[in-house]
């Protein structure tokens, strides 16, 4: 790959992308972020606004079901919406196929998701085991939600940017990247300091504040625990970011590059 990193990745003229990090069931923060994006667009209109969500919409937080309903209800609204697949959505889909996945998924907050879809504590800890939980969940999960999970794409590329949940394997062409690594990779991606050939915007790895490097941007500020949901606002070669809390939001210039 080319080792000459562009200092300022760019988007096509007239395009603005709002890239939001991991939500993890924090519907309250997602609603505030939605209002923030709408307000910013009213104040600064643009020809082609796009809202990209970087995966991990479910688990850990209390309102996964409401988060998915938000996406479905906003699908036809401006800006147009692109939802990527995170490892937590992959676990839900795997559980629909194999009940034994529950014993791994519950460690990642899957029980909170199942509860948000109406399964009771009695349901979740039934002596009939994981197969019983899977049957109840299949009966409870709306078809529109199941279709949403199945429709999620792994990555999206626009201009000099690549949007993906976790990251990419360095020095591997995009069309040869594995689905697992796009949703799970950390060390080899996070520690790579050369040019990826694209500027990668990702979540998956929690950071205290939005983390800009010379070759990537991490916007996962651990919303479910921190109470702060973060969105990168990208236009031309400009980077800003929005931070949403339960009752307010702010638009800032991007913090300096770390390296």
């Amino acid at each position: 790959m080319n080792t000459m990193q562009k200092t300022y990745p760019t988007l096509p003229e007239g395009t603005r992308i709002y890239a939001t990090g991991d939500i993890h069931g924090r519907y309250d923060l997602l609603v505030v972020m939605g209002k923030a994006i709408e307000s910013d667009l009213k104040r600064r209109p643009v020809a082609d606004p796009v809202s990209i969500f970087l995966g991990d919409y479910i688990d850990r937080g209390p309102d996964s079901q409401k988060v998915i309903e938000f996406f479905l209800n906003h699908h036809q609204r401006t800006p147009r919406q692109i939802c990527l697949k995170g490892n937590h959505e992959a676990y839900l889909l795997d559980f629909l196929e194999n009940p034994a996945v529950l014993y791994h998924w519950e460690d990642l907050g899957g029980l909170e998701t199942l509860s948000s879809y109406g399964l009771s504590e009695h349901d979740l800890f039934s002596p009939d085991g994981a197969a019983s939980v899977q049957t109840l969940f299949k009966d409870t999960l709306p078809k529109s939600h199941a279709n949403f999970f199945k429709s999620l794409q792994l990555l999206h590329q626009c201009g000099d940017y690549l949007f993906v949940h976790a990251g990419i394997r360095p020095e591997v062409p995009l069309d040869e990247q594995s689905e697992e690594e796009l949703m799970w990779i950390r060390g080899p991606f996070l520690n790579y300091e050369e040019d990826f050939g694209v500027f990668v915007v990702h979540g998956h790895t929690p950071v205290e504040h939005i983390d800009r490097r010379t070759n990537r941007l991490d916007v996962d500020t651990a919303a479910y625990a921190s109470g702060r949901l973060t969105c990168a606002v990208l236009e031309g070669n400009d980077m800003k970011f929005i931070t949403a809390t339960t009752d307010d939001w702010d638009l800032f210039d991007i913090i300096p590059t770390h390296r």
Side-chain angles (χ1 to χ4, degrees), residues 68-117:
I68 305 308
E69 197 63 33
F70 178 96
F71 290 138
L72 294 173
N73 290 337
H74 284 66
H75 188 65
Q76 301 301 325
R77 298 181 61 179
T78 299
R80 63 186 173 95
Q81 178 178 285
I82 296 171
C83 292
L84 303 183
K85 185 178 181 181
N87 56 300
H88 287 258
E89 289 76 48
Y91 257 108
L92 182 149
L93 290 168
D94 288 345
F95 175 60
L96 291 175
E97 300 296 325
N98 177 8
V101 170
L102 179 64
Y103 303 115
H104 301 284
W105 188 25
E106 64 183 2
D107 292 336
L108 296 178
L111 297 188
E112 287 85 347
T113 294
L114 294 168
S115 295
S116 78
Y117 278 95

Short mmCIF file of all heavy atoms in Angstrom, two decimals, residues 68-117:
data_model
loop_
_atom_site.label_atom_id
_atom_site.label_comp_id
_atom_site.label_asym_id
_atom_site.label_seq_id
_atom_site.Cartn_x
_atom_site.Cartn_y
_atom_site.Cartn_z
N ILE A 68 -33.91 0.07 17.56
CA ILE A 68 -34.19 -0.48 16.23
C ILE A 68 -35.47 0.13 15.66
O ILE A 68 -35.52 0.45 14.46
CB ILE A 68 -34.31 -2.02 16.28
CG1 ILE A 68 -33.04 -2.63 16.90
CG2 ILE A 68 -34.56 -2.57 14.89
CD1 ILE A 68 -31.74 -2.19 16.27
N GLU A 69 -36.46 0.35 16.50
CA GLU A 69 -37.69 1.00 16.03
C GLU A 69 -37.40 2.41 15.53
O GLU A 69 -37.98 2.86 14.54
CB GLU A 69 -38.72 1.03 17.16
CG GLU A 69 -40.15 1.29 16.71
CD GLU A 69 -40.70 0.18 15.82
OE1 GLU A 69 -40.34 -1.00 16.00
OE2 GLU A 69 -41.49 0.53 14.92
N PHE A 70 -36.49 3.11 16.19
CA PHE A 70 -36.07 4.45 15.75
C PHE A 70 -35.52 4.39 14.33
O PHE A 70 -35.89 5.20 13.47
CB PHE A 70 -35.01 5.00 16.70
CG PHE A 70 -34.45 6.35 16.32
CD1 PHE A 70 -34.96 7.50 16.88
CD2 PHE A 70 -33.40 6.46 15.41
CE1 PHE A 70 -34.44 8.75 16.55
CE2 PHE A 70 -32.89 7.69 15.06
CZ PHE A 70 -33.41 8.85 15.64
N PHE A 71 -34.65 3.44 14.08
CA PHE A 71 -34.08 3.32 12.73
C PHE A 71 -35.15 3.03 11.69
O PHE A 71 -35.15 3.59 10.59
CB PHE A 71 -33.01 2.22 12.70
CG PHE A 71 -31.76 2.56 13.45
CD1 PHE A 71 -31.14 1.60 14.25
CD2 PHE A 71 -31.19 3.81 13.38
CE1 PHE A 71 -29.98 1.90 14.94
CE2 PHE A 71 -30.02 4.12 14.07
CZ PHE A 71 -29.43 3.16 14.85
N LEU A 72 -36.06 2.15 12.02
CA LEU A 72 -37.11 1.80 11.07
C LEU A 72 -38.03 2.98 10.79
O LEU A 72 -38.44 3.20 9.64
CB LEU A 72 -37.91 0.61 11.60
CG LEU A 72 -37.14 -0.71 11.70
CD1 LEU A 72 -37.99 -1.77 12.39
CD2 LEU A 72 -36.70 -1.19 10.33
N ASN A 73 -38.33 3.75 11.81
CA ASN A 73 -39.23 4.89 11.64
C ASN A 73 -38.56 6.07 10.94
O ASN A 73 -39.25 6.93 10.39
CB ASN A 73 -39.76 5.36 13.00
CG ASN A 73 -40.73 4.37 13.61
OD1 ASN A 73 -41.34 3.58 12.91
ND2 ASN A 73 -40.86 4.39 14.93
N HIS A 74 -37.23 6.11 10.98
CA HIS A 74 -36.49 7.23 10.38
C HIS A 74 -35.89 6.87 9.03
O HIS A 74 -35.20 7.68 8.43
CB HIS A 74 -35.37 7.69 11.33
CG HIS A 74 -35.86 8.49 12.48
ND1 HIS A 74 -36.66 7.97 13.47
CD2 HIS A 74 -35.68 9.81 12.79
CE1 HIS A 74 -36.93 8.91 14.35
NE2 HIS A 74 -36.36 10.03 13.96
N HIS A 75 -36.18 5.68 8.56
CA HIS A 75 -35.49 5.19 7.36
C HIS A 75 -35.72 6.08 6.13
O HIS A 75 -34.82 6.24 5.30
CB HIS A 75 -35.94 3.76 7.05
CG HIS A 75 -35.15 3.12 5.95
ND1 HIS A 75 -33.81 2.84 6.08
CD2 HIS A 75 -35.48 2.73 4.70
CE1 HIS A 75 -33.36 2.30 4.97
NE2 HIS A 75 -34.36 2.21 4.11
N GLN A 76 -36.90 6.65 6.02
CA GLN A 76 -37.22 7.46 4.83
C GLN A 76 -36.97 8.95 5.04
O GLN A 76 -37.31 9.76 4.18
CB GLN A 76 -38.68 7.22 4.43
CG GLN A 76 -39.01 5.77 4.11
CD GLN A 76 -38.17 5.22 2.98
OE1 GLN A 76 -37.83 5.92 2.03
NE2 GLN A 76 -37.81 3.94 3.07
N ARG A 77 -36.41 9.32 6.16
CA ARG A 77 -36.23 10.73 6.47
C ARG A 77 -34.87 11.24 6.01
O ARG A 77 -33.96 10.47 5.70
CB ARG A 77 -36.39 10.98 7.97
CG ARG A 77 -37.78 10.62 8.50
CD ARG A 77 -37.92 10.90 9.96
NE ARG A 77 -37.73 12.32 10.26
CZ ARG A 77 -37.84 12.81 11.49
NH1 ARG A 77 -38.10 12.02 12.50
NH2 ARG A 77 -37.67 14.10 11.71
N THR A 78 -34.72 12.55 5.98
CA THR A 78 -33.43 13.18 5.70
C THR A 78 -32.69 13.35 7.02
O THR A 78 -33.27 13.76 8.02
CB THR A 78 -33.65 14.56 5.04
OG1 THR A 78 -34.36 14.37 3.82
CG2 THR A 78 -32.34 15.25 4.77
N PRO A 79 -31.39 13.05 7.06
CA PRO A 79 -30.59 12.56 5.95
C PRO A 79 -30.82 11.06 5.71
O PRO A 79 -31.30 10.36 6.59
CB PRO A 79 -29.17 12.81 6.43
CG PRO A 79 -29.25 12.71 7.92
CD PRO A 79 -30.59 13.26 8.28
N ARG A 80 -30.43 10.62 4.49
CA ARG A 80 -30.57 9.19 4.21
C ARG A 80 -29.69 8.41 5.16
O ARG A 80 -28.64 8.89 5.60
CB ARG A 80 -30.25 8.89 2.76
CG ARG A 80 -28.84 9.18 2.29
CD ARG A 80 -28.73 8.97 0.78
NE ARG A 80 -27.44 9.38 0.27
CZ ARG A 80 -26.41 8.56 0.09
NH1 ARG A 80 -26.53 7.28 0.40
NH2 ARG A 80 -25.27 9.00 -0.41
N GLN A 81 -30.12 7.23 5.48
CA GLN A 81 -29.57 6.45 6.58
C GLN A 81 -28.87 5.19 6.08
O GLN A 81 -29.42 4.45 5.28
CB GLN A 81 -30.72 6.08 7.50
CG GLN A 81 -30.39 5.22 8.69
CD GLN A 81 -31.63 4.99 9.54
OE1 GLN A 81 -32.07 5.87 10.25
NE2 GLN A 81 -32.22 3.82 9.41
N ILE A 82 -27.66 4.98 6.58
CA ILE A 82 -26.91 3.76 6.30
C ILE A 82 -26.54 3.13 7.64
O ILE A 82 -25.90 3.78 8.47
CB ILE A 82 -25.65 4.04 5.47
CG1 ILE A 82 -26.02 4.59 4.09
CG2 ILE A 82 -24.78 2.78 5.33
CD1 ILE A 82 -24.84 5.10 3.28
N CYS A 83 -26.94 1.89 7.87
CA CYS A 83 -26.65 1.21 9.12
C CYS A 83 -25.69 0.04 8.86
O CYS A 83 -25.98 -0.83 8.03
CB CYS A 83 -27.94 0.69 9.75
SG CYS A 83 -29.05 1.99 10.36
N LEU A 84 -24.59 0.05 9.58
CA LEU A 84 -23.58 -1.00 9.43
C LEU A 84 -23.76 -2.07 10.51
O LEU A 84 -24.44 -1.86 11.51
CB LEU A 84 -22.18 -0.40 9.52
CG LEU A 84 -21.86 0.71 8.51
CD1 LEU A 84 -20.40 1.15 8.66
CD2 LEU A 84 -22.12 0.24 7.08
N LYS A 85 -23.16 -3.20 10.28
CA LYS A 85 -23.30 -4.36 11.17
C LYS A 85 -22.15 -4.42 12.16
O LYS A 85 -20.98 -4.36 11.79
CB LYS A 85 -23.33 -5.63 10.32
CG LYS A 85 -23.58 -6.92 11.08
CD LYS A 85 -23.62 -8.08 10.07
CE LYS A 85 -23.89 -9.41 10.73
NZ LYS A 85 -23.91 -10.51 9.71
N GLY A 86 -22.52 -4.51 13.44
CA GLY A 86 -21.52 -4.69 14.48
C GLY A 86 -21.51 -6.11 15.00
O GLY A 86 -22.38 -6.93 14.68
N ASN A 87 -20.54 -6.43 15.84
CA ASN A 87 -20.44 -7.78 16.37
C ASN A 87 -21.63 -8.16 17.25
O ASN A 87 -22.00 -9.34 17.34
CB ASN A 87 -19.13 -7.96 17.14
CG ASN A 87 -18.93 -6.96 18.24
OD1 ASN A 87 -18.91 -5.75 18.01
ND2 ASN A 87 -18.77 -7.44 19.46
N HIS A 88 -22.28 -7.18 17.86
CA HIS A 88 -23.44 -7.49 18.71
C HIS A 88 -24.65 -7.87 17.86
O HIS A 88 -25.40 -8.79 18.24
CB HIS A 88 -23.74 -6.32 19.63
CG HIS A 88 -22.75 -6.18 20.74
ND1 HIS A 88 -22.99 -6.60 22.03
CD2 HIS A 88 -21.49 -5.70 20.74
CE1 HIS A 88 -21.92 -6.38 22.78
NE2 HIS A 88 -21.00 -5.82 22.01
N GLU A 89 -24.84 -7.22 16.73
CA GLU A 89 -25.91 -7.64 15.82
C GLU A 89 -25.62 -9.03 15.25
O GLU A 89 -26.54 -9.84 15.05
CB GLU A 89 -26.08 -6.63 14.68
CG GLU A 89 -26.68 -5.30 15.10
CD GLU A 89 -25.71 -4.41 15.84
OE1 GLU A 89 -24.57 -4.22 15.36
OE2 GLU A 89 -26.08 -3.90 16.93
N ALA A 90 -24.35 -9.32 15.03
CA ALA A 90 -23.97 -10.65 14.55
C ALA A 90 -24.34 -11.72 15.57
O ALA A 90 -24.81 -12.81 15.20
CB ALA A 90 -22.48 -10.70 14.24
N TYR A 91 -24.16 -11.42 16.85
CA TYR A 91 -24.53 -12.38 17.89
C TYR A 91 -26.03 -12.64 17.89
O TYR A 91 -26.49 -13.78 18.04
CB TYR A 91 -24.07 -11.88 19.26
CG TYR A 91 -22.84 -12.59 19.76
CD1 TYR A 91 -21.61 -11.94 19.80
CD2 TYR A 91 -22.90 -13.91 20.19
CE1 TYR A 91 -20.47 -12.59 20.24
CE2 TYR A 91 -21.76 -14.57 20.63
CZ TYR A 91 -20.55 -13.90 20.66
OH TYR A 91 -19.42 -14.57 21.09
N LEU A 92 -26.82 -11.58 17.75
CA LEU A 92 -28.28 -11.77 17.71
C LEU A 92 -28.67 -12.67 16.54
O LEU A 92 -29.48 -13.61 16.72
CB LEU A 92 -28.98 -10.41 17.59
CG LEU A 92 -30.51 -10.43 17.57
CD1 LEU A 92 -31.07 -9.15 18.21
CD2 LEU A 92 -31.07 -10.56 16.15
N LEU A 93 -28.12 -12.42 15.38
CA LEU A 93 -28.44 -13.25 14.22
C LEU A 93 -27.98 -14.69 14.41
O LEU A 93 -28.68 -15.63 14.03
CB LEU A 93 -27.80 -12.65 12.96
CG LEU A 93 -28.43 -11.33 12.48
CD1 LEU A 93 -27.54 -10.67 11.44
CD2 LEU A 93 -29.82 -11.58 11.93
N ASP A 94 -26.81 -14.87 15.02
CA ASP A 94 -26.33 -16.22 15.29
C ASP A 94 -27.25 -16.95 16.27
O ASP A 94 -27.50 -18.15 16.14
CB ASP A 94 -24.91 -16.19 15.84
CG ASP A 94 -23.87 -15.81 14.79
OD1 ASP A 94 -24.20 -15.85 13.59
OD2 ASP A 94 -22.74 -15.47 15.18
N PHE A 95 -27.75 -16.22 17.27
CA PHE A 95 -28.65 -16.82 18.26
C PHE A 95 -29.95 -17.30 17.61
O PHE A 95 -30.51 -18.33 18.00
CB PHE A 95 -28.95 -15.82 19.37
CG PHE A 95 -29.97 -16.31 20.37
CD1 PHE A 95 -29.75 -17.46 21.11
CD2 PHE A 95 -31.16 -15.62 20.56
CE1 PHE A 95 -30.69 -17.92 22.03
CE2 PHE A 95 -32.11 -16.08 21.47
CZ PHE A 95 -31.88 -17.23 22.21
N LEU A 96 -30.43 -16.58 16.61
CA LEU A 96 -31.64 -17.01 15.92
C LEU A 96 -31.44 -18.34 15.20
O LEU A 96 -32.39 -19.07 14.95
CB LEU A 96 -32.07 -15.93 14.91
CG LEU A 96 -32.59 -14.62 15.50
CD1 LEU A 96 -32.86 -13.60 14.40
CD2 LEU A 96 -33.86 -14.84 16.32
N GLU A 97 -30.19 -18.66 14.88
CA GLU A 97 -29.87 -19.91 14.20
C GLU A 97 -29.44 -21.01 15.16
O GLU A 97 -29.66 -22.20 14.90
CB GLU A 97 -28.77 -19.68 13.16
CG GLU A 97 -29.12 -18.68 12.07
CD GLU A 97 -30.28 -19.15 11.22
OE1 GLU A 97 -30.37 -20.38 10.98
OE2 GLU A 97 -31.10 -18.31 10.80
N ASN A 98 -28.83 -20.62 16.28
CA ASN A 98 -28.24 -21.60 17.19
C ASN A 98 -28.46 -21.16 18.64
O ASN A 98 -27.82 -20.22 19.11
CB ASN A 98 -26.75 -21.74 16.91
CG ASN A 98 -26.05 -22.70 17.86
OD1 ASN A 98 -26.69 -23.39 18.65
ND2 ASN A 98 -24.73 -22.73 17.79
N PRO A 99 -29.34 -21.83 19.38
CA PRO A 99 -29.64 -21.39 20.75
C PRO A 99 -28.45 -21.40 21.68
O PRO A 99 -28.39 -20.62 22.64
CB PRO A 99 -30.73 -22.37 21.21
CG PRO A 99 -30.63 -23.55 20.30
CD PRO A 99 -30.14 -23.01 18.99
N ALA A 100 -27.46 -22.25 21.43
CA ALA A 100 -26.29 -22.33 22.30
C ALA A 100 -25.50 -21.02 22.33
O ALA A 100 -24.73 -20.77 23.27
CB ALA A 100 -25.39 -23.48 21.87
N VAL A 101 -25.68 -20.17 21.31
CA VAL A 101 -24.99 -18.88 21.26
C VAL A 101 -25.37 -18.01 22.47
O VAL A 101 -24.61 -17.14 22.88
CB VAL A 101 -25.32 -18.16 19.93
CG1 VAL A 101 -24.83 -16.72 19.94
CG2 VAL A 101 -24.70 -18.92 18.77
N LEU A 102 -26.54 -18.27 23.05
CA LEU A 102 -27.00 -17.47 24.19
C LEU A 102 -25.96 -17.42 25.30
O LEU A 102 -25.79 -16.38 25.94
CB LEU A 102 -28.32 -18.03 24.73
CG LEU A 102 -28.91 -17.32 25.95
CD1 LEU A 102 -29.27 -15.87 25.59
CD2 LEU A 102 -30.13 -18.06 26.49
N TYR A 103 -25.25 -18.53 25.52
CA TYR A 103 -24.32 -18.59 26.65
C TYR A 103 -23.10 -17.71 26.43
O TYR A 103 -22.40 -17.36 27.39
CB TYR A 103 -23.92 -20.05 26.90
CG TYR A 103 -25.13 -20.93 27.16
CD1 TYR A 103 -25.48 -21.95 26.29
CD2 TYR A 103 -25.95 -20.68 28.26
CE1 TYR A 103 -26.60 -22.74 26.51
CE2 TYR A 103 -27.08 -21.45 28.49
CZ TYR A 103 -27.40 -22.48 27.61
OH TYR A 103 -28.53 -23.24 27.84
N HIS A 104 -22.83 -17.33 25.20
CA HIS A 104 -21.78 -16.35 24.91
C HIS A 104 -22.38 -14.94 24.81
O HIS A 104 -21.81 -13.97 25.30
CB HIS A 104 -21.08 -16.70 23.59
CG HIS A 104 -20.44 -18.05 23.61
ND1 HIS A 104 -19.26 -18.31 24.26
CD2 HIS A 104 -20.83 -19.24 23.05
CE1 HIS A 104 -18.94 -19.58 24.12
NE2 HIS A 104 -19.87 -20.17 23.37
N TRP A 105 -23.54 -14.85 24.17
CA TRP A 105 -24.18 -13.54 23.97
C TRP A 105 -24.53 -12.87 25.29
O TRP A 105 -24.41 -11.65 25.44
CB TRP A 105 -25.42 -13.74 23.10
CG TRP A 105 -26.09 -12.47 22.64
CD1 TRP A 105 -25.52 -11.24 22.49
CD2 TRP A 105 -27.47 -12.31 22.29
NE1 TRP A 105 -26.46 -10.32 22.06
CE2 TRP A 105 -27.65 -10.96 21.92
CE3 TRP A 105 -28.55 -13.20 22.23
CZ2 TRP A 105 -28.89 -10.46 21.52
CZ3 TRP A 105 -29.78 -12.71 21.83
CH2 TRP A 105 -29.95 -11.35 21.47
N GLU A 106 -24.95 -13.65 26.28
CA GLU A 106 -25.35 -13.05 27.55
C GLU A 106 -24.18 -12.33 28.22
O GLU A 106 -24.38 -11.36 28.95
CB GLU A 106 -25.95 -14.09 28.48
CG GLU A 106 -25.01 -15.18 28.93
CD GLU A 106 -25.71 -16.23 29.80
OE1 GLU A 106 -26.94 -16.09 30.00
OE2 GLU A 106 -25.02 -17.16 30.27
N ASP A 107 -22.96 -12.78 27.97
CA ASP A 107 -21.79 -12.10 28.54
C ASP A 107 -21.56 -10.73 27.90
O ASP A 107 -20.83 -9.90 28.45
CB ASP A 107 -20.54 -12.96 28.36
CG ASP A 107 -20.57 -14.23 29.20
OD1 ASP A 107 -21.28 -14.25 30.23
OD2 ASP A 107 -19.90 -15.21 28.83
N LEU A 108 -22.13 -10.50 26.72
CA LEU A 108 -21.98 -9.23 26.01
C LEU A 108 -23.20 -8.33 26.15
O LEU A 108 -23.32 -7.33 25.45
CB LEU A 108 -21.71 -9.51 24.53
CG LEU A 108 -20.42 -10.25 24.20
CD1 LEU A 108 -20.32 -10.49 22.70
CD2 LEU A 108 -19.20 -9.48 24.69
N GLY A 109 -24.12 -8.69 27.05
CA GLY A 109 -25.29 -7.84 27.26
C GLY A 109 -26.52 -8.30 26.51
O GLY A 109 -27.50 -7.55 26.40
N GLY A 110 -26.51 -9.53 26.01
CA GLY A 110 -27.65 -10.02 25.25
C GLY A 110 -28.94 -10.12 26.04
O GLY A 110 -30.03 -9.96 25.49
N LEU A 111 -28.83 -10.39 27.36
CA LEU A 111 -30.05 -10.51 28.16
C LEU A 111 -30.81 -9.19 28.22
O LEU A 111 -32.05 -9.17 28.25
CB LEU A 111 -29.71 -10.99 29.57
CG LEU A 111 -29.07 -12.38 29.68
CD1 LEU A 111 -28.96 -12.79 31.15
CD2 LEU A 111 -29.86 -13.42 28.91
N GLU A 112 -30.07 -8.08 28.23
CA GLU A 112 -30.73 -6.76 28.22
C GLU A 112 -31.52 -6.57 26.92
O GLU A 112 -32.62 -5.99 26.92
CB GLU A 112 -29.69 -5.65 28.38
CG GLU A 112 -29.12 -5.52 29.79
CD GLU A 112 -27.95 -6.46 30.06
OE1 GLU A 112 -27.72 -7.40 29.26
OE2 GLU A 112 -27.27 -6.26 31.07
N THR A 113 -30.97 -7.05 25.81
CA THR A 113 -31.69 -6.96 24.54
C THR A 113 -32.95 -7.81 24.58
O THR A 113 -34.04 -7.37 24.20
CB THR A 113 -30.79 -7.40 23.38
OG1 THR A 113 -29.72 -6.45 23.24
CG2 THR A 113 -31.57 -7.47 22.07
N LEU A 114 -32.84 -9.04 25.05
CA LEU A 114 -34.00 -9.93 25.12
C LEU A 114 -35.07 -9.35 26.04
O LEU A 114 -36.27 -9.42 25.73
CB LEU A 114 -33.56 -11.31 25.60
CG LEU A 114 -32.64 -12.07 24.64
CD1 LEU A 114 -32.02 -13.29 25.32
CD2 LEU A 114 -33.40 -12.50 23.39
N SER A 115 -34.65 -8.74 27.13
CA SER A 115 -35.61 -8.10 28.04
C SER A 115 -36.32 -6.94 27.36
O SER A 115 -37.52 -6.72 27.57
CB SER A 115 -34.89 -7.60 29.30
OG SER A 115 -34.36 -8.67 30.05
N SER A 116 -35.60 -6.19 26.53
CA SER A 116 -36.21 -5.04 25.87
C SER A 116 -37.27 -5.48 24.87
O SER A 116 -38.17 -4.69 24.53
CB SER A 116 -35.13 -4.20 25.16
OG SER A 116 -34.72 -4.80 23.93
N TYR A 117 -37.20 -6.73 24.41
CA TYR A 117 -38.21 -7.27 23.51
C TYR A 117 -39.33 -8.00 24.26
O TYR A 117 -40.14 -8.69 23.66
CB TYR A 117 -37.57 -8.20 22.48
CG TYR A 117 -36.96 -7.45 21.32
CD1 TYR A 117 -35.61 -7.12 21.31
CD2 TYR A 117 -37.73 -7.04 20.23
CE1 TYR A 117 -35.05 -6.42 20.25
CE2 TYR A 117 -37.18 -6.35 19.17
CZ TYR A 117 -35.84 -6.03 19.19
OH TYR A 117 -35.29 -5.33 18.14
#
